[in-house]
Amino acid sequence: MNANPYDIKLVAVDMDGTFMRTDYTYDVPRFKAVLARMKAVGCQFVVASGNQYYQLRAQFPGYDHELSFVAENGALVKDKETVLFAADIPRETVLATLDLCKKYPEVKNVMCGLNSAYCERGTVSDAFFELTNKYYHKLQWVDDFAQVEDTILKFAPTVPVEKTAYYSELFQKELAGLLVPTGSGHGSVDLIVPNCHKASGLARLVERWGITPEQCVAFGDGGNDLEMLAYCQRGYAMDNAPENVKAVATAVCPSNDEDGVLVTLEQLFPIV
């Protein structure tokens, strides 16, 4: 029996709502077993998320160096330890974005850099900082966003949940040509450089590894997974995903709380 019957060379997984259960755990021994089978047949595992690289890496302690990462919704791409791409938002765009967000005090902004993410004192609460710290393991307080010296990858404003669509449209209009809003749900909106998303990150890895999208599989559950699910030959939407995500996918797998990614990978990479 073929241990890689579908000739898969890349598997990309979103984290929140996809690979991770709701309690933010996963079956480590079960994953390590299927990862070993994937590696044995030359298939790469890619963590593709809107979250910060340092936070994602921490979910795979002791073996993060075996994996590749498309972090910050494609703004940072790493092949193991090698940085392939880091977005660099121009200074003028950074300042324009900061000015826009200041007009709307209910927008809680996080500025995401290559070295750290940042919250601005006086604009968000300590509780917001602590919550954000769960997703951005490197997070600092600063007095003024505009004074930060770092390569800025993206902005991650949090808006009132019921106004998510309103603010997405506002950002789309006011930052047209500069940054593009992409939603990951629950009032979270990422502002990223145009044509920078999870699929663009995967394309960089595909080119580097000399493979094709037809040899790629992706798993996702949110709006920021749409391009990635469409890019890969096999795009699996989680059972807990909304209908618009399922519509783009080629198949639906069990939910994140049912270990849908691992269930499917065990079918794609059988024990021989």
Side-chain angles (χ1 to χ4, degrees), residues 24 51 55 59 129-137 139:
Y24 229 68
N51 293 343
Q55 187 261 7
Q59 305 303 328
F129 183 94
E130 292 303 320
L131 179 62
T132 303
N133 209 183
K134 294 180 180 180
Y135 301 99
Y136 295 88
H137 284 195
L139 182 67

Side-chain angles (χ1 to χ4, degrees), residues 51-66:
N51 293 343
Q52 186 186 49
Y53 165 70
Y54 299 105
Q55 187 261 7
L56 299 173
R57 187 179 68 179
Q59 305 303 328
F60 304 92
Y63 65 108
D64 57 277
H65 61 281
E66 302 176 33

Side-chain angles (χ1 to χ4, degrees), residues 18-239:
T18 298
F19 186 74
M20 306 296 274
R21 302 169 183 143
T22 302
D23 64 3
Y24 229 68
T25 63
Y26 65 96
D27 189 329
V28 177
R30 189 177 182 185
F31 173 59
K32 284 188 173 181
V34 75
L35 179 64
R37 296 203 296 276
M38 290 169 58
K39 289 177 66 178
V41 294
C43 181
Q44 307 272 2
F45 188 85
V46 181
V47 179
S49 171
N51 293 343
Q52 186 186 49
Y53 165 70
Y54 299 105
Q55 187 261 7
L56 299 173
R57 187 179 68 179
Q59 305 303 328
F60 304 92
Y63 65 108
D64 57 277
H65 61 281
E66 302 176 33
L67 314 178
S68 294
F69 294 85
V70 173
E72 310 273 20
N73 276 327
L76 180 64
V77 182
K78 293 194 73 172
D79 174 7
K80 318 298 187 297
E81 301 297 308
T82 303
V83 175
L84 294 189
F85 173 76
D88 188 357
I89 299 176
R91 177 72 175 167
E92 298 77 12
T93 300
V94 169
L95 295 177
T97 305
L98 295 178
D99 287 343
L100 176 61
C101 290
K102 282 179 182 175
K103 295 178 182 177
Y104 302 91
E106 66 182 358
V107 174
K108 297 176 173 61
N109 204 4
V110 178
M111 190 167 73
C112 307
L114 186 59
N115 298 320
S116 180
Y118 307 91
C119 285
E120 192 176 65
R121 286 191 179 90
T123 64
V124 297
S125 65
D126 288 343
F128 178 83
F129 183 94
E130 292 303 320
L131 179 62
T132 303
N133 209 183
K134 294 180 180 180
Y135 301 99
Y136 295 88
H137 284 195
K138 286 198 175 183
L139 182 67
Q140 301 177 31
W141 281 111
V142 295
D143 293 323
D144 185 354
F145 278 145
Q147 299 303 314
V148 171
E149 293 186 6
D150 196 353
T151 298
I152 305 306
L153 304 174
K154 71 169 189 182
F155 289 90
T158 297
V159 303
V161 174
E162 70 278 6
K163 293 185 179 180
T164 303
Y166 167 80
Y167 276 108
S168 293
E169 292 174 14
L170 184 144
F171 290 137
Q172 183 86 44
K173 177 185 174 186
E174 297 293 333
L175 298 173
L178 301 178
L179 297 175
V180 178
T182 179
S184 52
H186 314 295
S188 298
V189 180
D190 276 0
L191 301 175
I192 55 181
V193 297
N195 302 312
C196 184
H197 40 61
K198 293 183 184 183
S200 69
L202 293 185
R204 298 177 195 280
L205 292 169
V206 162
E207 181 179 3
R208 177 174 171 85
W209 295 334
I211 61 177
T212 68
E214 287 71 36
Q215 295 172 301
C216 298
V217 173
F219 295 83
D221 76 306
N224 61 345
D225 297 316
L226 295 174
E227 294 92 350
M228 175 173 76
L229 293 173
Y231 174 80
C232 296
Q233 174 77 15
R234 292 169 177 266
Y236 290 90
M238 311 308 292
D239 192 49

